[in-house]
Amino acid sequence: NEPRARDLLGDKVKLYVGDVRDPSSMASAFRGADYVISALGSNSRRDPENKPEVIDFGGTKSIAELAHAAGVRQLVIVSSMGVTDPNHPLNKLLDNIMAWKLRGEEAVRASGVRYTIVRPAGLSTEPGGTQGIHVTQGDPKDIVARIPRADVAAVCLAALGRRAAYDTTFEVMTDKQADRVDWDTLFGALHADGG
């Protein structure tokens, strides 16, 4: 939505308009890009043409393939904590959204592009930067946690160009025991996928 983006960002950024359902409409946005962050997500409740299969899987796959073809140095994808749980309640509510997000992750890993997959806990609108951030790996099923959207954005930005974040998948949540984030410690605790 170019007018909405223009209202939010003004002339600070160059905007490219594309549709993830039509990869050719997005190709020019990837040319010359070093880094790409995707926080793509379907909203099938409001728009039936944006089903999770089309957006969370198909759109993510297209983004990964375009990033690889354009020589992007790193692709950061925002997914979701709980995607590996086939019985996740959101699968029943939202057309198997978690299963399709997982398929999108798999497409990123298979694309050949260097990637970072961030799986946030439940998203909140609280202000970011007021507490620490905890990371874990393996998509644990016994954790109920939240994280401000602004903190997820901060994690994505901090991952750019950081070798310890390359080819990793991890969950992020608020760390109520800390009042700040030590990015070196946070990313240093990660293990590469398949490693």
Side-chain angles (χ1 to χ4, degrees):
N1 185 323
E2 187 175 4
R4 185 168 175 233
R6 200 54 80 202
D7 286 345
L8 288 170
L9 303 171
D11 294 325
K12 296 181 210 172
V13 296
K14 184 173 182 179
L15 295 177
Y16 292 87
V17 178
D19 186 333
V20 295
R21 297 168 296 189
D22 175 13
S24 65
S25 73
M26 301 187 305
S28 63
F30 288 79
R31 283 189 213 107
D34 290 322
Y35 302 102
V36 173
I37 298 174
S38 173
L40 185 64
S42 61
N43 193 342
S44 59
R45 283 188 167 177
R46 283 186 255 166
D47 184 354
E49 292 183 13
N50 290 329
K51 297 266 185 203
E53 179 179 2
V54 175
I55 305 301
D56 296 276
F57 167 59
T60 299
K61 183 176 188 281
S62 294
I63 287 170
E65 290 171 349
L66 287 165
H68 183 259
V72 167
R73 291 170 50 192
Q74 183 184 10
L75 170 63
V76 178
I77 296 286
V78 178
S79 183
S80 181
M81 191 170 169
V83 294
T84 62
D85 180 2
N87 298 315
H88 196 289
L90 289 180
N91 278 328
K92 289 182 182 175
L93 288 173
L94 300 171
D95 299 323
N96 286 316
I97 191 167
M98 302 300 260
W100 288 115
K101 282 184 180 294
L102 182 59
R103 295 262 322 263
E105 288 184 9
E106 292 164 353
V108 169
R109 291 184 196 100
S111 71
V113 70
R114 179 177 288 145
Y115 67 87
T116 302
I117 298 173
V118 180
R119 293 174 171 168
L123 298 172
S124 76
T125 56
E126 296 170 14
T130 62
Q131 296 180 331
I133 297 172
H134 176 73
V135 297
T136 188
Q137 290 182 283
D139 202 18
K141 314 261 183 307
D142 57 345
I143 295 177
V144 177
R146 301 201 49 83
I147 186 167
R149 285 175 172 83
D151 285 345
V152 176
V155 170
C156 292
L157 289 172
L160 297 179
R162 194 177 291 264
R163 291 184 186 277
Y166 291 169
D167 301 329
T168 61
T169 303
F170 56 93
E171 294 75 35
V172 293
M173 63 207 74
T174 296
D175 180 354
K176 294 180 179 178
Q177 306 302 316
D179 60 0
R180 62 186 272 302
V181 180
D182 179 331
W183 295 113
D184 290 333
T185 300
L186 184 144
F187 289 106
L190 299 177
H191 300 283
D193 292 347

